[in-house]
Amino acid sequence: MTCYLYNISADSRQLVKVDNSTPYTEARTAVKPTAPLDIITPTFIFDYSAAALACNYLYCYEFERFYFVKNIAVDTAGRISITCAIDVLQTYSAAIKNCRATVIRTATGGKPTMYVDNKFPVYPSKKVVTSTTSTETSGSLNADGGYCYVLNTIGGTSNS
Amino acid sequence: MNPNPQVYGVPETWTYSYINGGLETDAAKALKIQKAKVPRWNYDPDNVGYWSSQLREGITEGKITQNVPIDKTVCAVGMGRDCPFATMGYFRRRADTETPSDVMFNSVASVGSGGVINGFLWEMRDDSSYGTYNLLSAGGGQIDEKQMEFRCWAPESNSIRNTNKQNGNYFIAPYTYYQLKTFIASVEVNVCDSDDVPDDPTISGVVPQATWRPIDTWKNSYSTHKITGFRLNFARANAILDNGGRITYSRPTPPSSYRYSVPCGFGLLDEIRFDDEYDYKRYMYALFNDSASGGSWNTVIFKPFTDTVWNSSVHRVAFMGMYDIFNGDLKYLPSAVWYQIDYNDDVYEKLCRAAATFGFIFVTDGALTLPSAMNTDNICFPVINDEGIAHGDYTRGADNLNNSIYNADSTHDVNYNPTTPKDTNTYSLTTSFNNVGHVASTTKAYVINGNGIQGLSNELWTIIDNLLVNPSDVENLYNLSLDTFLTNNPIDAIVSIKKFPLSSVPHGENLENVYLGKVQTSAAAYPLALQQARYNFTSIPIFPKFGNCFLDYAPYTKMQLYVPFCGTIDIDAADFMGRNLSVEMVIDFITGTVTAYVLANQLVVTSLTGTCAIDIPITGTEQATVNSAYESAAISERQTRASNIVSEFAGRFAHPIKSMLHPISSQGSYTKEKLQQAASVYELTHMNMPLRQIGNASPLNSWALEFVCRLIIYYPDGECISFNATNEPSLITDKVDAFGAVNGFATVETDALKNFTGYTQASDVDLSGVSATDTEKEMILNLLQSGVYL
């Protein structure tokens, strides 16, 4: 079995952590498993290598899968055993990108949307108030008008 | 609705009727009847079977399934299995029939085997002469089986006869477009004039005397008479609906050289049934008796066949679908039963249902020539199911309003759904205001200024004072009489004085003297021009401050609108976002009330009411009322003030005022007792005068606030929000970006994940296409639901 060892700093939730241009720390062959090996949480045994001790990410050529390095143990007989857990995001990143999903949070738009966002930092009670005005267009409103009284009387001739 | 192109070809191949032969007329166009284009009606070797081959292929190559409507969109008339045509046959009487047990049928023109096509509206033409229609009337005179096959409606491959090397189906042109309200049918029955009808009208020379009458006439006036036939008599409706939703009917009047410019056939539906037991085949035929000489044009006659030979002037068919009415069976079918049917309500209903299966609008009272509203009782609408088939149900009168046909114009209406009425509401984005004119009243309204009021008051006191001193002068000057002031108190001639918050109340052009009762005073005022006026306020455009996101709307952003004299109202930002908020204020100059309409662009969204006018005190009592919020003045004090005005006037006039104010007499002087008595009377007559503003907020209070509309906006605050000097907010870009990078923003979008970047959290994912193990897929889903960085 051939494995490629990496040292990466990407967040584990990152979909793509390594690509073809990412340099690997070491390529190891003749990996010897300790026991029956599963593809989800395998443990690989390598010949001792100081560089291997620094890796935190692994690609298994035969499994065609990427793994997080969970633990490295120095074993007897000049061996180290590397316990791994599968990274499904990196392994299936191309297929995942083509999947259709209902997304409920995304940074794509760059700003809040019309959907109420309970995570967005808004003070629960505080409000800041301002105002603007609208004026009567003809300028007729006046507290001290001239002919501004309406006298209603009995008598005379009614208004036509 | 789009007719099946596999059957009819694409719409580009359709045309209004056909050029030759009269169909390409204004009438046909008005009916909007379209059919597949056919280059020529006559023999055209290059185009033989051009469109009919599609139909033929549809049958022979399995594109069309028997007994299944091809396409409800082409079911122009909605006929289905329940239609009499579905089980109609053509019969000729056997010349050798001798016993009742013999089948009546001599021969039946064959249309071959197989199914028929549902829902076509066909036109058929004779193959014998170019340019003429010749349906079952057989104008060419050919009466043989081969020819009869041409008169079949079903484009059966086996029915094609190559007479003169012509394709029999050549002459069949299906109509693919049809206006639902184009034709109106009258349900008519052939009513015997008397009961003296021979039992066997097949006896030569004996024909029952009968008259075609509307079925309602049979029911109402001739129910004791038998009928010998049933038909649908058609008129072409103008299909023009007036504002009252009425259809007008008319019959086209084509030139004599033309045949009637209406389709002359029905599409037939349902499979052809075979009854091998009786060794005959029932087929479906159209029954248009289109006679150029007039005759019963566009008439479908269901009348038993009597002649031994086909007679072009008298059609006979067996109405197989109604054999139960005839109370016979197909094997036996004694002719006597055929010809006479007694009235009963069940028969009436069955005939109406039979009419409904054709899918046309029909009337039962024969009213085909008068405009009728679609909801009148004489009009019936067939009920068409979601397959476009009518099964005999129908609505009548007011129930038609709930029938989907009521609102549909044509089968080509893309929104037409037989079971879903069309939305006929008219939607608008504007509100209109009325200009209210003067409202007549028995009072007179003046527009006056403060000096005018003071002058009027002074003049009134002058009148009173002079009456005390020189009453005769006042009487002569003002022509005082018992009813001069129309009340016993001149003050009461003043109904109200209101001050409005306006530079000027709209008024007439010329000053005139103020009248109090019949007394013309010297005070001058303008007549009130309008009792109501509308004042507009400038628009306030409502803009989002947070990039039009959830923060711009309630409950995060809150708005209130203050309108002068009306108070404050909550405003929903969603109603006005991206629109102009404006106010239209309507002031009533008689009541002093105001209604303010709040508009979003030009649409009224809400309104407020208030009072803008201040009531000016007229008498001392009112003055006391206005001066103190709570009137606690002693009654005696009010009496004293009031009596100063009333007492001497009371003393000047005779009965009945005098009697009311007894014991006050015309002594010309007053004592305290008299004042008290007068005041008591005043109390009686005036205590119900409204004591304005006691305990209530005066409109004067609202005058203290500005005369502008003010929109008050309450914005949310938070770490990502900043404010300027006037408290207008905006988002802090850097902080928003940082938040989004870690948390993303709330949304609901369904798309491929490759179209998203950065932090992404999904509620559900379709992982088909990911060739991972089940365990791995579950891990992927969990990670996506908890959030990943794409």
Side-chain angles (χ1 to χ4, degrees):
Chain A
M1 292 186 107
T2 301
C3 293
Y4 296 86
L5 304 175
Y6 297 86
N7 189 296
I8 62 172
S9 59
D11 189 300
S12 61
R13 293 171 295 174
Q14 187 80 31
L15 183 71
V16 177
K17 304 166 185 67
V18 298
D19 56 24
N20 291 337
S21 65
T22 305
Y24 51 85
T25 301
E26 201 171 57
R28 302 305 299 271
T29 60
V31 176
K32 307 170 185 56
T34 59
L37 208 56
D38 70 274
I39 60 173
I40 301 298
T41 54
T43 299
F44 302 100
I45 294 180
F46 299 113
D47 293 332
Y48 179 86
S49 159
L53 291 176
C55 73
N56 60 6
Y57 202 71
L58 180 149
Y59 175 73
C60 176
Y61 180 82
E62 280 74 10
F63 286 167
E64 293 183 310
R65 284 170 168 77
F66 290 84
Y67 295 92
F68 297 108
V69 173
K70 291 297 186 184
N71 196 16
I72 302 175
V74 177
D75 205 346
T76 58
R79 300 175 299 175
I80 57 174
S81 61
I82 299 178
T83 305
C84 301
I86 187 171
D87 178 9
V88 289
L89 291 180
Q90 173 75 57
T91 300
Y92 299 104
S93 59
I96 289 172
K97 283 188 175 180
N98 290 326
C99 289
R100 183 179 294 270
T102 297
V103 172
I104 57 175
R105 296 199 73 87
T106 178
T108 305
K111 62 185 181 68
T113 67
M114 291 287 265
Y115 290 95
V116 173
D117 191 343
N118 293 322
K119 281 190 175 181
F120 198 82
V122 176
Y123 300 140
S125 303
K126 183 184 177 186
K127 288 282 193 288
V128 176
V129 62
T130 185
S131 73
T132 184
T133 57
S134 163
T135 56
E136 195 272 320
T137 56
S138 65
S140 297
L141 292 182
N142 190 328
D144 292 310
Y147 279 88
C148 62
Y149 295 85
V150 173
L151 167 67
N152 212 353
T153 65
I154 299 174
T157 56
S158 60
N159 300 72
S160 59
Chain B
M1 296 175 69
N2 297 302
N4 189 344
Q6 280 189 317
V7 176
Y8 288 112
V10 296
E12 289 75 20
T13 63
W14 304 339
T15 184
Y16 282 113
S17 68
Y18 184 67
I19 297 175
N20 294 315
L23 282 182
E24 188 71 8
T25 62
D26 291 340
K29 289 181 180 178
L31 296 172
K32 294 186 180 180
I33 300 167
Q34 288 185 322
K35 53 181 276 300
K37 291 177 182 175
V38 177
R40 294 163 55 186
W41 269 114
N42 62 344
Y43 175 61
D44 186 340
D46 294 331
N47 292 285
V48 169
Y50 162 70
W51 36 262
S52 63
S53 61
Q54 295 170 312
L55 300 163
R56 191 179 337 130
E57 288 163 6
I59 298 172
T60 59
E61 298 180 15
K63 294 180 182 178
I64 300 173
T65 303
Q66 290 187 27
N67 204 34
V68 174
I70 289 178
D71 186 333
K72 70 176 182 179
T73 64
V74 302
C75 183
V77 296
M79 291 192 289
R81 296 180 63 92
D82 300 296
C83 177
F85 271 150
T87 54
M88 187 183 302
Y90 162 68
F91 304 98
R92 299 166 95 181
R93 185 176 183 279
R94 288 171 61 114
D96 58 347
T97 300
E98 294 181 355
T99 63
S101 62
D102 289 341
V103 176
M104 291 283 294
F105 317 118
N106 189 11
S107 64
V108 180
S110 171
V111 293
S113 62
V116 294
I117 299 159
N118 290 340
F120 292 169
L121 188 67
W122 293 97
E123 176 190 299
M124 259 197 63
R125 301 187 57 162
D126 196 309
D127 64 340
S128 62
S129 54
Y130 166 72
T132 63
Y133 308 176
N134 200 351
L135 304 176
L136 292 177
S137 60
Q142 305 87 337
I143 309 294
D144 61 33
E145 290 188 14
K146 291 183 180 179
Q147 291 288 347
M148 285 307 300
E149 285 179 282
F150 290 147
R151 283 140 178 95
C152 303
W153 301 103
E156 257 299 319
S157 56
N158 289 347
S159 70
I160 297 170
R161 293 301 187 193
N162 287 320
T163 303
N164 297 329
K165 298 182 181 179
Q166 293 179 18
N167 186 327
N169 283 338
Y170 184 88
F171 305 99
I172 302 174
Y175 285 87
T176 58
Y177 179 101
Y178 183 81
Q179 273 208 325
L180 287 172
K181 301 185 183 74
T182 303
F183 296 100
I184 310 294
S186 173
V187 182
E188 299 180 352
V189 290
N190 199 247
V191 180
C192 298
D193 288 339
S194 70
D195 288 334
D196 185 17
V197 176
D199 288 341
D200 185 2
T202 61
I203 298 174
S204 175
V206 178
V207 179
Q209 299 298 317
T211 307
W212 288 104
R213 301 183 191 277
I215 193 172
D216 279 355
T217 304
W218 180 39
K219 172 183 177 181
N220 298 327
S221 305
Y222 297 92
S223 59
T224 58
H225 295 200
K226 303 179 193 296
I227 62 170
T228 61
F230 162 87
R231 74 180 182 185
L232 297 178
N233 199 359
F234 281 84
R236 179 174 73 80
N238 283 338
I240 298 172
L241 303 181
D242 61 20
N243 291 333
R246 306 190 303 177
I247 305 172
T248 58
Y249 312 143
S250 69
R251 293 188 178 193
T253 308
S256 59
S257 61
Y258 285 93
R259 295 289 178 169
Y260 292 92
S261 58
V262 292
C264 301
F266 293 100
L268 296 179
L269 311 169
D270 215 282
E271 63 178 312
I272 297 177
R273 302 179 192 175
F274 302 97
D275 194 335
D276 295 333
E277 180 181 354
Y278 303 118
D279 192 27
Y280 68 89
K281 293 177 173 54
R282 284 175 275 173
Y283 303 102
M284 287 147 281
Y285 285 73
L287 291 176
F288 257 97
N289 179 14
D290 181 26
S291 170
S293 62
S296 55
W297 68 275
N298 291 346
T299 297
V300 177
I301 299 177
F302 302 100
K303 203 167 185 178
F305 180 62
T306 58
D307 293 347
T308 58
V309 295
W310 179 260
N311 187 327
S312 63
S313 63
V314 182
H315 296 275
R316 299 291 182 266
V317 293
F319 200 173
M320 304 303 290
M322 293 176 61
Y323 83 94
D324 60 335
I325 296 181
F326 293 108
N327 197 28
D329 62 69
L330 295 172
K331 184 175 183 180
Y332 197 85
L333 285 177
S335 60
V337 179
W338 283 31
Y339 288 109
Q340 302 169 42
I341 303 175
D342 290 312
Y343 175 85
N344 61 62
D345 289 344
D346 193 46
V347 170
Y348 175 92
E349 180 63 17
K350 283 188 176 180
L351 292 176
C352 288
R353 290 184 62 83
T357 61
F358 283 85
F360 292 111
I361 298 173
F362 62 95
V363 297
T364 55
D365 64 350
L368 283 176
T369 58
L370 298 176
S372 296
M374 288 193 287
N375 60 339
T376 53
D377 285 342
N378 67 318
I379 294 188
C380 302
F381 279 19
V383 174
I384 300 179
N385 69 2
D386 57 359
E387 291 182 334
I389 303 296
H391 291 280
D393 293 330
Y394 64 94
T395 56
R396 180 192 289 272
D399 291 339
N400 292 336
L401 299 179
N402 296 321
N403 191 311
S404 59
I405 292 176
Y406 189 88
N407 292 319
D409 295 324
S410 77
T411 57
H412 266 201
D413 184 347
V414 294
N415 296 316
Y416 173 69
N417 184 315
T419 57
T420 303
K422 187 170 68 173
D423 183 359
T424 56
N425 290 321
T426 301
Y427 294 93
S428 170
L429 298 178
T430 60
T431 303
S432 60
F433 288 90
N434 296 322
N435 290 322
V436 180
H438 188 82
V439 179
S441 69
T442 57
T443 61
K444 172 81 173 185
Y446 301 92
V447 178
I448 195 170
N449 58 11
N451 290 337
I453 291 177
Q454 191 61 48
L456 181 64
S457 176
N458 292 339
E459 185 165 348
L460 208 55
W461 282 112
T462 301
I463 294 172
I464 296 171
D465 290 343
N466 288 337
L467 279 176
L468 293 176
V469 178
N470 300 308
S472 60
D473 292 342
V474 176
E475 287 175 357
N476 292 331
L477 180 63
Y478 289 99
N479 193 24
L480 295 179
S481 63
L482 177 64
D483 58 351
T484 297
F485 289 99
L486 301 181
T487 74
N488 58 343
N489 186 340
I491 294 296
D492 286 343
I494 300 175
V495 177
S496 64
I497 303 177
K498 295 179 185 295
K499 180 175 182 179
F500 287 84
L502 298 168
S503 301
S504 176
V505 174
H507 56 74
E509 293 182 359
N510 301 315
L511 285 167
E512 57 188 60
N513 293 99
V514 174
Y515 271 82
L516 292 180
K518 295 183 179 180
V519 175
Q520 183 186 36
T521 70
S522 62
Y526 293 100
L528 179 68
L530 292 171
Q531 286 166 300
Q532 180 197 79
R534 199 164 76 235
Y535 298 89
N536 308 314
F537 285 75
T538 56
S539 296
I540 303 176
I542 306 298
F543 294 111
K545 295 294 187 182
F546 301 100
N548 200 25
C549 71
F550 71 98
L551 294 171
D552 288 302
Y553 300 88
Y556 297 91
T557 295
K558 179 182 172 184
M559 293 184 180
Q560 288 180 320
L561 179 68
Y562 165 77
V563 177
F565 323 115
C566 299
T568 306
I569 191 173
D570 286 337
I571 292 291
D572 189 345
D575 292 338
F576 296 89
M577 190 60 65
R579 304 183 180 91
N580 291 321
L581 183 153
S582 62
V583 174
E584 297 261 341
M585 180 178 287
V586 179
I587 297 178
D588 182 337
F589 295 116
I590 300 302
T591 64
T593 57
V594 58
T595 299
Y597 297 97
V598 183
L599 294 89
N601 285 347
Q602 298 176 42
L603 192 66
V604 171
V605 176
T606 187
S607 65
L608 306 88
T609 57
T611 304
C612 67
I614 301 173
D615 281 298
I616 303 302
I618 305 171
T619 66
T621 302
E622 291 192 14
Q623 183 63 57
T625 303
V626 173
N627 287 343
S628 65
Y630 293 91
E631 179 58 57
S632 59
I635 294 180
S636 60
E637 180 181 353
R638 280 214 303 279
Q639 291 174 340
T640 301
R641 294 186 182 189
S643 64
N644 288 340
I645 301 172
V646 72
S647 60
E648 282 309 311
F649 271 138
R652 297 300 302 168
F653 302 117
H655 178 81
I657 295 176
K658 181 179 177 181
S659 65
M660 289 174 62
L661 294 178
H662 83 284
I664 294 176
S665 63
S666 56
Q667 294 175 351
S669 63
Y670 57 90
T671 64
K672 183 178 181 180
E673 290 77 16
K674 290 178 183 175
L675 282 174
Q676 287 174 342
Q677 289 169 350
S680 67
V681 175
Y682 186 89
E683 290 288 327
L684 286 174
T685 58
H686 293 287
M687 270 309 292
N688 289 331
M689 182 175 63
L691 301 177
R692 300 182 184 84
Q693 290 90 42
I694 287 186
N696 296 326
S698 166
L700 187 60
N701 296 343
S702 66
W703 285 42
L705 200 54
E706 55 191 351
F707 284 2
V708 296
C709 295
R710 183 170 290 275
L711 181 68
I712 306 160
I713 311 171
Y714 303 85
Y715 289 113
D717 195 5
E719 282 188 17
C720 300
I721 302 172
S722 66
F723 294 89
N724 63 11
T726 53
N727 281 351
E728 293 176 83
S730 61
L731 291 173
I732 304 172
T733 305
D734 293 344
K735 293 194 174 183
V736 171
D737 290 344
F739 172 85
V742 176
N743 300 280
F745 301 100
T747 186
V748 180
E749 298 177 58
T750 300
D751 203 349
L753 286 171
K754 63 185 176 184
N755 295 321
F756 297 92
T757 58
Y759 181 85
T760 303
Q761 184 180 354
S763 63
D764 207 353
V765 187
D766 179 6
L767 291 175
S768 57
V770 179
S771 57
T773 65
D774 187 52
T775 301
E776 289 171 321
K777 284 189 177 181
E778 190 174 336
M779 295 171 70
I780 294 171
L781 181 61
N782 288 336
L783 284 167
L784 289 171
Q785 288 178 332
S786 62
V788 298
Y789 294 91
L790 296 180

